[in-house]
Amino acid sequence: MTQLSPPPRQMRKNILVSVAGSAIEWYDFFIYASASALVLNKLFFPSVDSVAGTLLAFSTFAVGFLIRPVGAAVFGHFGDKFGRKPALVTAMMIMGAATTAIGLLPSYATLGVAAPILLVVLRLVQGLALGGQWGGAVLLVTESAPEGKRGFYGSFAQLGVPIALIFSNVMFLILSAALSQDAFLAWGWRIPFLLSILLIAVGLYAQSRASETHAAPSEEPARRRAPLMELLRSHPKQILLAAGATVINGGAYYLLTVYILSYATQALGLPRGTILVAVLISAVASGLTIPAAAALSDRIGRRKVFLSGAVGLAVWGFPMFWLVNTGSPVLITVALVIAQVIFSLTYGPCPALFSEMFGASVRYSGVSVGYQIGAVAGGALAPIIATSLFAEFQTANAIALYLALMAAVSFVAVFLVTESVRRKKTVATPLAAPVD
């Protein structure tokens, strides 16, 4: 099978849907993450001390991760069986509805114990939707990308992450500046959640304007009856390697964007605005370097780019926290910007790398399940483990060592992946062929 590219105008629509859908979907996820570190511990777990409340808030954050592999399996099944676009649109709509509902949820003071229970339920729905979104957004662009530019085009799905982080932090900065602490806790924190209703509009646009990808799995109907079972039978190695590769992406990113908020405000006593601005600037740097890293992977290979980033994160974790500990806004910003630039080297190549690891008939399932298992192993527990490590050892060096261990896991996983770019220099390998 040869890969056909859609007309440029249609490709632009696919890119728009991929970026916008991914950005708003991750925006929903990040505002919950920011709220976990800043307000949810006070509103939904007020009867415990600050450290315990933070751990409980981060636990509800982790719950959304634990359900993501289930969402990946469910949406992957339908994405492989009926097409990428319907699965992606459904995931967007569910995420928009769940996040809007969180914005309307009464606090513990109003509902008592029912409030944190409902919060967990809605968080599970969020995680279910996100489990199916990433694979759909990635395949919408990688399966339609021109030959030789799959890494670059795949990075548009990744751009949703820094864009979402920028908008979520801007929202919290504006609200923090415009409202008193009491007003922010009473109702201001709800505004970012309610704005996620825009994701439903993006889903409707995607349904009417985006095209189904040209590498849709129609060419292998016999293998589409149970895509997940076929995936587990024929691609177990690829699932494990994709999961291992994702460990550092999930773990590093949530340390850099979620835990760092709690660490800076609670452990160091820094103003909330200081760390939010630093995270915001670092997200801009990430948005600029993710496409560059992905394009570089088209030229020299996915593995070389990713492995260099994994080594960089393992090394930079220690000086990063040393700079953050100074309390200087400038040095904190420098520390996080460098970390995000290094992170881009592992994050940018992943869509193309994962897409090339699975055959077309199970690709939605494979990309989604592998990624989400790794996200659980890396991202779900990262803020909790980091909080516990600091509470036990009273030094950020323990957290930096934890970051280095996650980087080592992903380094080994990607080192074992066959390099697809090198193979295409001698053999024309279509996207439908899995990497063995």
Side-chain angles (χ1 to χ4, degrees), residues 169 179 324:
N169 279 341
L179 302 175
V324 171

Side-chain angles (χ1 to χ4, degrees), residues 21 156 167 174:
F156 286 103
F167 277 98
I174 292 174

Side-chain angles (χ1 to χ4, degrees), residues 72 250 357:
M357 290 169 65

Side-chain angles (χ1 to χ4, degrees), residues 135-146:
V138 162
L139 297 185
L140 193 65
V141 283
T142 58
E143 288 185 335
S144 300

